[in-house]
């Protein structure tokens, strides 16, 4: 697996959004099936996680996010609100054509902006890499769109948890104030 991993990783930022990557991902899944002695049509979901390796789409996302972390000075960051926080959204490059949205820089920004706030706030490269790898292995995305829907779900869950905690605190204060 590690030999294939090295070949898949080489220059993936440039070719990772290409439609031909599906063929390489099929080969990666075939190797997992061979190692795990799975049936030809049996799903590989969960088996990537058990090996602790990333799917091809996850590897592409990982490399893009490491690139943006290492080269933050190349990206213009903008605050999405007036509150003082450590993280902010990266600004998308201006463009006229939809083709630009397949551009590696554009995809890097899109991935970065969809990350949970706690990962974006990490300043240590080592910690960032570990957290990112852990997230991507846990999500086990089979496509880029699956990653976006999963991370938006994390955001929705985080927001609902925060609302629940805020409501709980309000109820606690109301109970304390009435006694």
């Amino acid at each position: 697996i590690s030999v294939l991993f090295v070949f898949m990783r080489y220059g993936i930022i440039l070719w990772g959004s290409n439609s031909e990557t599906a063929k390489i991902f099929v080969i990666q899944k075939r190797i997992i099936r061979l190692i795990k002695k799975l049936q030809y049509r049996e799903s590989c979901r969960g088996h990537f996680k058990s090996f602790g390796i990333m799917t091809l789409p996850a590897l592409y996302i990982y490399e893009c996010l490491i690139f943006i972390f290492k080269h933050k000075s190349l990206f213009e960051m903008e605050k999405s609100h007036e509150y003082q926080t450590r993280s902010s959204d990266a600004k998308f490059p201006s463009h006229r054509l939809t083709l630009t949205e397949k551009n590696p820089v554009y995809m890097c920004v899109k991935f970065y902006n969809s990350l949970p706030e706690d990962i974006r706030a990490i300043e240590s490269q080592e910690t960032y890499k570990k957290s990112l790898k852990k997230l991507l292995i846990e999500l086990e995305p089979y496509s880029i769109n699956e990653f976006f829907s999963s991370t938006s779900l994390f955001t929705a869950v985080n927001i609902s948890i925060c609302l629940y905690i805020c409501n709980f605190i309000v109820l606690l204060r109301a109970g304390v104030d009435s006694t």
Side-chain angles (χ1 to χ4, degrees):
I1 292 180
S2 60
V3 173
L4 177 68
F5 196 73
V6 171
F7 285 114
M8 286 186 340
R9 200 171 176 173
Y10 183 76
I12 196 168
I13 291 177
L14 301 174
W15 57 265
S17 63
N18 188 317
S19 60
E20 295 295 309
T21 57
K23 293 176 184 176
I24 299 169
F25 188 40
V26 167
I27 293 169
Q28 186 186 28
K29 290 190 285 187
R30 194 174 294 160
I31 291 170
I32 294 291
R33 283 190 190 99
L34 285 171
I35 293 170
K36 286 286 205 168
K37 297 180 179 154
L38 302 174
Q39 295 298 315
Y40 173 72
R41 304 284 287 165
E42 197 172 340
S43 176
C44 291
R45 282 210 189 262
H47 296 288
F48 286 97
K49 201 183 299 185
S50 69
F51 276 125
I53 61 171
M54 291 183 266
T55 61
L56 182 65
L59 184 61
Y60 171 58
I61 294 163
Y62 178 80
E63 290 297 328
C64 285
L65 289 169
I66 295 302
F67 176 81
I68 200 169
F69 185 85
K70 287 180 178 178
H71 302 95
K72 276 187 182 176
S73 61
L74 299 175
F75 298 93
E76 192 175 330
M77 299 295 184
E78 62 184 4
K79 298 283 184 190
S80 56
H81 47 72
E82 71 275 359
Y83 303 110
Q84 185 66 21
T85 59
R86 276 192 240 159
S87 66
S88 57
D89 287 343
K91 195 172 183 180
F92 286 102
S94 59
H95 64 285
R96 292 181 311 121
L97 304 174
T98 309
L99 180 64
T100 308
E101 294 179 8
K102 297 271 189 201
N103 181 316
V105 172
Y106 193 92
M107 291 306 292
C108 288
V109 171
K110 198 170 178 181
F111 293 139
Y112 182 80
N113 289 344
S114 67
L115 274 180
E117 286 284 327
D118 57 332
I119 294 179
R120 278 196 278 169
I122 297 172
E123 294 180 16
S124 161
Q125 185 175 338
E126 187 74 22
T127 309
Y128 180 79
K129 283 182 173 182
K130 284 179 184 176
S131 300
L132 195 55
K133 187 174 181 181
K134 183 179 175 186
L135 172 72
L136 291 169
I137 288 172
E138 187 63 35
L139 291 177
E140 200 176 35
Y142 269 41
S143 70
I144 292 169
N145 290 333
E146 194 175 312
F147 169 76
F148 288 129
S149 62
S150 298
T151 54
S152 65
L153 176 66
F154 275 138
T155 305
V157 168
N158 288 343
I159 290 170
S160 62
I161 289 171
C162 289
L163 289 173
Y164 177 78
I165 291 171
C166 289
N167 288 335
F168 184 72
I169 291 170
V170 168
L171 289 174
L172 280 177
R173 285 186 180 164
V176 171
D177 290 341
S178 64
T179 57

